[in-house]
Amino acid sequence: MKKITQLIQTFSPTEISSLRKYYAINSRQDTILRNKLFEITLKNSPKSDKEAANFMDTKPGAAFSMLKKRLYNDALKYCSGVKAQNDLNLNFTKVDIKLG
C-alpha cells in the first residue's frame, strides 16, 4: 500500500477529479472496487494491506493484491498520459510562439 499511497498523494486536485470521472464511466465490479480503494487511500492513507482491507471490509489476500496492482497500474497510466498531454500542449505553445 505504501507505493500506491505515495503515488496518489502526488496527484493534484484536478488529477484526482479526472481519475474519479474515469472510474465513474465504467460500472464493472472490478472498477467499482478500484474506485473504492482509491477513495480509501485518499481519505485514510492506509499504511498496510491489512489496514486497507479492513476499511474495505475484506481480507488481504490474492484478490486484494490484484486489486491493488490494478489500481497502481491505473494511476501510473493516468500519470504518464497526463504528462504526455502536458508535454504535447507545451510543444504546441512553443510552436505558436515561434510562428507568432
Side-chain angles (χ1 to χ4, degrees):
M1 281 307 302
K2 187 176 179 179
K3 287 179 6 182
I4 294 172
T5 302
Q6 288 174 341
L7 178 61
I8 290 175
Q9 287 176 345
T10 65
F11 284 11
S12 70
T14 304
E15 292 168 332
I16 291 169
S17 176
S18 296
L19 195 54
R20 282 179 174 151
K21 288 177 186 175
Y22 167 76
Y23 283 133
I25 291 170
N26 193 334
S27 62
R28 289 186 356 204
Q29 183 63 25
D30 182 54
T31 307
I32 293 168
L33 290 173
R34 280 184 273 164
N35 185 38
K36 186 175 180 181
L37 183 58
F38 175 69
E39 293 297 334
I40 286 169
T41 303
L42 280 174
K43 292 176 186 169
N44 302 314
S45 299
K47 305 282 189 264
S48 67
D49 289 0
K50 186 176 181 181
E51 186 180 350
N54 285 339
F55 283 123
M56 291 188 69
D57 297 324
T58 188
K59 295 180 181 178
F64 186 74
S65 293
M66 285 301 298
L67 180 65
K68 284 185 352 183
K69 182 178 179 179
R70 289 183 181 130
L71 173 60
Y72 187 71
N73 287 338
D74 284 351
L76 284 178
K77 286 177 190 175
Y78 180 78
C79 284
S80 62
V82 168
K83 182 179 180 335
Q85 183 65 37
N86 288 342
D87 290 346
L88 185 61
N89 289 341
L90 182 61
N91 287 337
F92 281 132
T93 303
K94 287 179 183 176
V95 170
D96 289 343
I97 291 169
K98 288 180 183 177
L99 295 176

